[in-house]
Amino acid sequence: MTDSATLQFGPFRLHGRNGPLLRDAVEIKLQPKALAALWTLLRQAGEVVTKAALMDAVWPGVVVGDDALTFQVQALRRALEDDPKAPRYVLTVHRIGFRFAAAVTSGLDALAVNPPQAEAADTFVGRMIEIDSLHALLDKARQGRRQIVFVTGEAGIGKTTLVSAFLAQARRRHPAMLIGRGQCIEHQGPAEAYLPVLDALGNLLRQAADDRPIEVLKRMAPGWLLQLPALMQADEHTALKRQAQGASHARVLRELAEALEHMSLQQPVLLVLEDLHWGDTATLDLLAMLGRRSQAAQLLIVVTYRPVDAILAEHPVRAVQLRLKAARQASELLLGYLDADAVALYLQQRSGTSQVAPELIRTLHARSGGHPLFLAQIFDYLTTQGQDLSASLAILETTLPQGLRDLIALQLAQLGPDEQKVLEVASVVGMDFAAALVAACTGIPVEAVERRCDHLARQGQFIRDHGLAIWPDGTSSGRYRFRHVLYEQALLQSLASGRRARLHRQIGDQLEAAYGERSREIAGELANHYERAAAVDKTVRYCIALAGIALERTAADEVRIQTQRGLDWLASLPAGSGRDEQELALRTAAARALQAQFGNHCREAQAHLSIVEGLTASVRDPALLQPALTVLWLSAHFQGRYEAALTHATTVRNLGQALAQPQLKSAGHAWASHSLHITGRHGEAEEEALLGMQQADLALRQRPGLLAVEPGCAAQTAYALTRWYLGFPDQALQAARAACASSALIGNPYVQCLMLSNGLGNVLLFRRDWAALQAVIAEAIALSEKYGHDDGLLLATQQGLIARCMLMDGDDALPLLLAMMDRERASGCMTRNLIAGYVHAAEGALLIGQIELAQRATASAMALIDEHGRRAWEPEIWRVRAKLLIARNPDQTEEAEACLQRSLDISRERRGRSLELRAALCLARLWTADDRAPDALALIRPLFERYAEGFETADLKEAAALIDALQVQPASAPTA
């Protein structure tokens, strides 16, 4: 049925898609959109037409809300005098769409002179086996057996046509199904992370019958919804951003996988990702994960790509497909050429007759080779010759070139100069183009560009109508799309290199001006236009923006690609402050991605960091300095370069002072406190922590909000650790719990994981409160696994193994703990307190009589101090070494006593009263065994009496018990 047919129902007649609508020969006035809605409902009378399908038909290529559709349906009902409470014509199918209930008949349009011809885009032949296979896969998916299918073939073979026909049929058969279709775009440079997935998600959410899918994303995958700002309310953005902060790449993938699975519990989910030979590696990671997961899901993913293009470009999509197929987690539909019977059917449909000359079928099959695009183009060319198709065959022998490019060139030559210019510029814009953008680059008024494009689209030449393009500056114009990528490519290649470059620059400048402050939204498009124009400064600027976007999406590989792309172009710029600022931004992003991917101790980032450190001396922009100093401090601190870390912390603090930003000052003080306490400078660390907490409070008073809470959490944690070292175990616990409470307010899962394991977990470990530690560990592990926080997970696992060792479960836990410590030491990672891990491993080994293991663990701890200068735990090493010496030979205590005296001296020098107490307890017991009870009492009692809290901790309970035991022994003078 063509758009010119007449459809009749009751007393009404609709003459074609655009009307008029008549009732008993009287025209009923309706807006074009209402007529289009009525036409769509009439053509599918008796069937449910989903809201999404109706929106696609009425507003093709334009995103509209439900209100627009509701308005047009209401207008339609008024025109038809159809009562919504007792409808005769338009029935509402709650949450899904609408159904036309009356009988509809069709007749010929009296104005039609020639029989209608099917358009090439509507012709679908020769793919019945493939489309049946897709429906079979959908049926399996609807049974909860997830499916991934790769539809492959060369350009123009009909992949998009097959998928479009399948989607149309699937929508009719399963109106409630969630469908999202995403498209990759050809880029000269790297692709934007997750672009086709976000495109598909956006389509799925916009077309859904209700808000359930978007609510699932809000709850389970907020980071993905953040990338679709048009689907959120303004007040939701900040809350979702806090939830998504600190997400790892693995967490981002897992969240979307779980969200899709949850959506599919209620209704099947069908995702289409097209042209993945142009896709990004992050999308391929997601595809691989979705294939590997074994959970039941009503999920079908259809992927299209060109194998030859992927192989030539060394694109990894082919490898992903082969791995999934080998694991029986995906299937493939390889589209071949059409046979002679399919060509005959195609010609019958396009010509509108069942009588097609056999010679015509044979010639066109031979000339096209059964290639659908070649066949369509040859047919279109022949029909423009104004004579019988069979009579036109002779033209193929003389004037029709062999290649499709020549065929396109021949068609293009038949157009006027302005139409040729419009299409040439459009090819530089890309597959999709806005009339306003072409107008700006050609000097032709936008209305004239739209007239020419509309004419070409109506004639089925080169392009089709693709809705509206609306820019942030208010500009709106028609949007069009090339009918096939080969049109765009052939036109683009026909242009001289210099003209192409100039057009790319014009296009980039026009888009940048139109988007203004929102140009980051099209950073990928701008980067590619400026790159092709060799506009270095602009190319680098948008590479930086793309790297930032990839960082937000935790797509580390894309960060690496974009930063390297920017650095390659930057090398051609002369030295200067502008160049330094861009290089600092690029290298900081690269280092941040490597730290996120491989840990803060990551040595792979060092090449960038050494240059970043030099650039911070010349760059003065605080927006660039803050993240740069952050990565420098993280690297120095977690690689054990504490003096360098203190220098970076001081620089951040001074930057905050200069800018009057207490939040920055708080961060600098907090970082300094952590680095100081690690080196055993507990008094200085406490002072810095208190200053950090004060500045965080000031920041909150000056500008209430959650941004100042995070450095405040870091300062509270540092304060908690120094309080314990200085002999205030209850205050330490209180501060650690306060830091956890503050982190919960932020809503940043990364900070929450860190506060649980590195803050509260460490304080409980220091207090030897093993039962409480195990409860916190369980919470930390659950949270870290949920959000993909690897550092939090590893530290909590280490703490759990220590607790097991100290609770006499060392036979099983000790080998695991030592192996874990050895792996981390070999990697150079100092994120977790390896020295404390080795010391506790040694104590656990002594508890079960494993002397050799205790010796190895003690030696490893001592070596780490020499290598990295982590002095905070040094007194404990000497204490455990003394216990090891006594365990080896109980009769030789002189060397053990010297070790304990060394522990006492170091603790006293650093004001580390908690570690002093432990060393004193050990020495007092040694003296008691040597009949020196008065000496032991004289050592331990004054130290115990200095405590005003923490009497329920294990160390103070042990001290109290020992004092009681010593006081009942016969008095004697202490040994000199």
Side-chain angles (χ1 to χ4, degrees):
M1 185 184 302
T2 68
D3 286 358
S4 61
T6 298
L7 302 178
Q8 184 166 341
F9 58 98
F12 299 94
R13 282 181 297 151
L14 179 61
H15 292 272
R17 175 186 177 88
N18 300 316
L21 174 65
L22 304 179
R23 177 171 183 167
D24 299 328
V26 177
E27 182 176 357
I28 298 173
K29 295 293 185 182
L30 274 177
Q31 293 182 0
K33 298 300 183 187
L35 289 170
L38 177 60
W39 174 260
T40 304
L41 290 168
L42 293 177
R43 290 186 64 172
Q44 301 180 56
E47 299 181 8
V48 175
V49 181
T50 66
K51 292 180 182 179
L54 203 51
M55 287 179 182
D56 283 347
V58 178
W59 292 276
V62 181
V63 178
V64 297
D66 284 355
D67 290 346
L69 181 59
T70 301
F71 177 82
Q72 298 300 340
V73 171
Q74 289 173 346
L76 187 57
R77 282 173 167 157
R78 286 194 297 271
L80 301 178
E81 299 179 358
D82 198 22
D83 185 356
K85 298 181 180 178
R88 293 173 297 161
Y89 299 120
V90 182
L91 276 65
T92 299
V93 182
H94 186 57
R95 292 180 176 272
I96 298 177
F98 302 92
R99 180 168 65 86
F100 197 85
V104 178
T105 58
S106 62
L108 294 176
D109 187 344
L111 300 178
V113 178
N114 297 317
Q117 290 189 343
E119 293 186 9
D122 297 329
T123 306
F124 182 71
V125 298
R127 303 296 189 203
M128 291 303 104
I129 294 176
E130 289 85 355
I131 207 163
D132 287 343
S133 298
L134 290 174
H135 281 298
L137 292 171
L138 179 56
D139 289 340
K140 289 180 182 179
R142 293 178 65 238
Q143 297 168 13
R145 297 152 57 193
R146 71 177 65 210
Q147 303 291 319
I148 297 178
V149 58
F150 290 83
V151 178
T152 61
E154 66 185 75
I157 203 66
K159 300 182 293 298
T160 298
T161 303
L162 171 69
V163 169
S164 298
F166 168 63
L167 289 182
Q169 294 178 17
R171 282 193 179 99
R172 289 196 293 270
R173 295 184 188 184
H174 314 290
M177 183 162 58
L178 296 172
I179 299 177
R181 188 172 187 175
Q183 176 79 43
C184 295
I185 299 173
E186 183 183 16
H187 293 288
Q188 178 172 316
E192 182 179 339
Y194 300 118
L195 181 63
V197 181
L198 292 168
D199 191 10
L201 274 181
N203 289 332
L204 183 150
L205 296 174
R206 283 189 290 268
Q207 297 174 17
D210 53 43
D211 289 334
R212 284 181 296 178
I214 202 167
E215 292 300 325
V216 169
L217 272 193
K218 283 180 187 176
R219 189 172 68 256
M220 303 183 70
W224 289 91
L225 193 54
L226 273 175
Q227 307 302 324
L228 302 167
L231 298 173
M232 290 186 294
Q233 299 296 328
D235 57 352
E236 294 177 318
H237 187 270
T238 301
L240 288 175
K241 190 171 184 179
R242 288 199 300 269
Q243 293 179 44
Q245 280 180 339
S248 67
H249 182 52
R251 169 190 161 192
V252 167
L253 300 182
R254 186 180 67 254
E255 280 185 347
L256 183 58
E258 291 174 352
L260 291 172
E261 290 159 4
H262 192 80
M263 288 180 199
S264 77
L265 295 176
Q266 301 295 328
Q267 53 207 130
V269 176
L270 170 55
L271 293 182
V272 177
L273 305 177
E274 294 194 77
D275 294 329
L276 219 56
H277 54 277
W278 290 327
D280 59 283
T281 57
T283 294
L284 295 178
D285 290 344
L286 175 65
L287 191 64
M289 168 179 268
L290 290 171
R292 289 194 301 268
R293 289 174 68 89
S294 59
Q295 293 86 340
Q298 295 187 81
L299 177 63
L300 171 60
I301 301 175
V302 180
V303 177
T304 73
Y305 82 94
R306 305 179 201 160
V308 173
D309 292 51
I311 292 169
L312 292 176
E314 298 182 345
H315 195 280
V317 62
R318 182 71 172 165
V320 171
Q321 178 203 346
L322 292 175
R323 285 198 299 271
L324 289 173
K325 283 182 66 178
R328 299 183 180 276
Q329 294 162 343
S331 55
E332 181 181 11
L333 287 178
L334 175 61
L335 301 189
Y337 297 143
L338 302 177
D339 59 20
D341 291 339
V343 171
L345 182 59
Y346 175 89
L347 293 174
Q348 290 171 8
Q349 291 185 12
R350 291 292 309 277
S351 63
T353 175
S354 60
Q355 302 298 319
V356 180
E359 179 63 21
L360 178 64
I361 296 171
R362 285 194 297 271
T363 302
L364 289 185
H365 184 248
R367 284 295 184 187
S368 68
H371 191 293
L373 181 63
F374 284 27
L375 174 64
Q377 294 310 312
I378 294 172
F379 181 89
D380 289 344
Y381 175 72
L382 292 177
T383 56
T384 62
Q385 302 307 302
Q387 52 185 306
D388 180 78
L389 287 176
S390 297
S392 301
L393 285 177
I395 300 174
L396 296 178
E397 301 294 338
T398 56
T399 62
L400 187 65
Q402 295 295 313
L404 183 60
R405 185 187 306 172
D406 293 335
L407 175 58
I408 294 172
L410 185 62
Q411 288 182 313
L412 188 64
Q414 296 172 356
L415 303 178
D418 282 350
E419 289 174 321
Q420 292 183 33
K421 181 187 282 188
V422 164
L423 290 179
E424 287 171 351
V425 174
S427 73
V428 182
V429 177
M431 278 293 290
D432 293 332
F433 61 93
L437 193 52
V438 174
C441 296
T442 58
I444 302 173
V446 65
E447 295 82 2
V449 172
E450 287 180 331
R451 284 197 301 272
R452 287 172 172 80
C453 289
D454 287 340
H455 174 73
L456 291 171
R458 284 195 301 273
Q459 298 299 319
Q461 291 181 285
F462 293 99
I463 61 176
R464 59 166 60 94
D465 190 324
H466 204 52
L468 284 175
I470 303 174
W471 293 343
D473 68 350
T475 301
S476 64
S477 67
R479 185 181 179 193
Y480 303 90
R481 181 177 178 84
F482 281 100
R483 287 183 170 270
H484 195 279
V485 67
L486 291 183
Y487 290 139
E488 189 253 351
Q489 290 177 350
L491 283 158
L492 186 63
Q493 292 170 8
S494 70
L495 298 175
S497 299
R499 187 179 177 216
R500 268 205 311 270
R502 288 190 295 274
L503 285 171
H504 277 298
R505 180 62 191 245
Q506 283 183 271
I507 291 164
D509 290 347
Q510 186 67 29
L511 285 173
E512 188 179 49
Y515 274 77
E517 294 180 354
R518 293 173 55 186
S519 60
R520 190 173 186 265
E521 295 177 12
I522 56 166
E525 193 174 349
L526 289 171
N528 283 295
H529 282 303
Y530 284 127
E531 187 169 39
R532 295 182 185 197
V536 179
D537 185 67
K538 294 288 185 77
T539 302
V540 174
R541 177 188 305 176
Y542 289 105
C543 285
I544 293 170
L546 286 170
I549 292 169
L551 269 176
E552 293 170 5
R553 299 175 184 175
T554 66
D557 287 342
E558 273 63 44
V559 178
R560 177 183 55 77
I561 292 169
Q562 296 295 350
T563 52
Q564 189 57 54
R565 178 187 182 191
L567 289 169
D568 289 343
W569 277 101
L570 196 63
S572 62
L573 283 180
S577 59
R579 185 186 189 281
D580 289 349
E581 290 177 347
Q582 289 184 320
E583 184 170 9
L584 181 62
L586 287 166
R587 293 194 182 277
T588 298
R592 286 177 66 190
L594 287 166
Q595 287 175 337
Q597 191 171 15
F598 301 111
N600 291 323
H601 64 288
C602 169
R603 298 188 185 279
E604 289 86 348
Q606 200 56 50
H608 293 293
L609 290 171
S610 59
I611 299 175
V612 165
E613 189 162 6
L615 290 170
T616 57
S618 60
V619 172
R620 292 292 176 264
D621 186 348
L624 297 174
L625 284 174
Q626 182 183 353
L629 292 168
T630 299
V631 297
L632 288 171
W633 179 82
L634 288 169
S635 175
H637 182 81
F638 290 107
Q639 288 183 8
R641 295 180 289 109
Y642 300 111
E643 291 305 319
L646 285 168
T647 299
H648 300 315
T650 301
T651 305
V652 170
R653 184 187 64 205
N654 293 341
L655 183 64
Q657 178 72 33
L659 298 173
Q661 290 187 7
Q663 182 186 341
L664 273 182
K665 291 177 68 177
S666 176
H669 286 302
W671 296 353
S673 180
H674 281 287
S675 296
L676 285 167
H677 108 75
I678 286 290
T679 55
R681 295 153 69 179
H682 306 305
E684 296 174 69
E686 184 180 43
E687 292 175 9
E688 292 288 342
L690 286 169
L691 289 170
M693 293 162 65
Q694 291 171 5
Q695 290 299 318
D697 289 341
L698 179 60
L700 283 172
R701 288 196 300 272
Q702 288 183 353
R703 191 174 180 181
L706 294 173
L707 289 176
V709 177
E710 187 169 331
C713 287
Q716 281 178 311
T717 301
Y719 180 71
L721 297 173
T722 55
R723 282 276 88 187
W724 183 83
Y725 279 105
L726 293 172
F728 299 94
D730 289 348
Q731 292 181 40
L733 184 59
Q734 182 181 1
R737 286 175 173 162
C740 286
S742 297
S743 71
L745 289 176
I746 300 174
N748 181 337
Y750 184 92
V751 177
Q752 286 180 271
C753 295
L754 204 62
M755 293 304 103
L756 273 175
S757 55
N758 199 45
L760 184 55
N762 270 335
V763 168
L764 290 171
L765 181 117
F766 294 171
R767 286 167 55 97
R768 298 188 172 183
D769 192 345
W770 308 121
L773 176 60
Q774 287 184 316
V776 168
I777 286 165
E779 184 181 356
I781 287 176
L783 197 65
S784 298
E785 287 179 338
K786 178 179 180 181
Y787 291 107
H789 188 323
D790 293 338
D791 281 345
L793 181 61
L794 287 170
L795 181 53
T797 302
Q798 172 187 315
Q799 291 167 341
L801 292 171
I802 289 172
R804 287 176 58 189
C805 287
M806 303 311 294
L807 290 170
M808 302 297 291
D809 188 21
D811 287 330
D812 293 328
L814 183 60
L816 297 174
L817 177 61
L818 284 171
M820 184 178 186
M821 298 298 97
D822 291 343
R823 282 196 303 272
E824 294 192 40
R825 181 185 177 191
S827 72
C829 171
M830 299 301 290
T831 303
R832 291 155 287 284
N833 192 343
L834 297 187
I835 297 175
Y838 277 122
V839 168
H840 283 100
E843 285 206 274
L846 290 174
L847 285 174
I848 60 174
Q850 294 285 345
I851 305 298
E852 295 304 321
L853 286 181
Q855 173 68 37
R856 183 166 76 82
T858 305
S860 296
M862 189 65 75
L864 277 171
I865 285 185
D866 294 336
E867 292 169 12
H868 297 286
R870 293 175 71 100
R871 300 287 174 184
W873 216 243
E874 187 177 8
E876 282 289 83
I877 299 177
W878 290 106
R879 182 183 65 82
V880 174
R881 188 171 182 179
K883 292 179 68 174
L884 176 62
L885 291 169
I886 294 169
R888 283 189 176 278
N889 189 344
D891 296 328
Q892 295 183 2
T893 60
E894 184 176 343
E895 188 177 352
E897 186 173 340
C899 290
L900 291 170
Q901 193 61 56
R902 178 78 177 273
S903 178
L904 282 170
D905 292 342
I906 296 172
S907 299
R908 289 165 180 163
E909 179 186 350
R910 298 175 184 172
R911 295 168 49 199
R913 195 166 61 190
S914 291
L915 296 185
E916 181 186 357
L917 176 63
R918 287 190 184 172
L921 280 169
C922 194
L923 184 55
R925 292 197 179 279
L926 183 62
W927 284 348
T928 302
D930 284 346
D931 295 327
R932 295 172 60 186
D935 292 333
L937 185 60
L939 173 66
I940 201 67
R941 184 163 56 189
L943 185 55
F944 179 78
E945 290 174 348
R946 287 162 56 195
Y947 276 85
E949 63 176 62
F951 297 109
E952 295 303 314
T953 60
D955 290 337
L956 286 171
K957 282 183 178 181
E958 182 182 346
L962 180 57
I963 290 170
D964 288 343
L966 291 172
Q967 285 177 336
V968 301
Q969 292 188 16
S972 60
T975 304

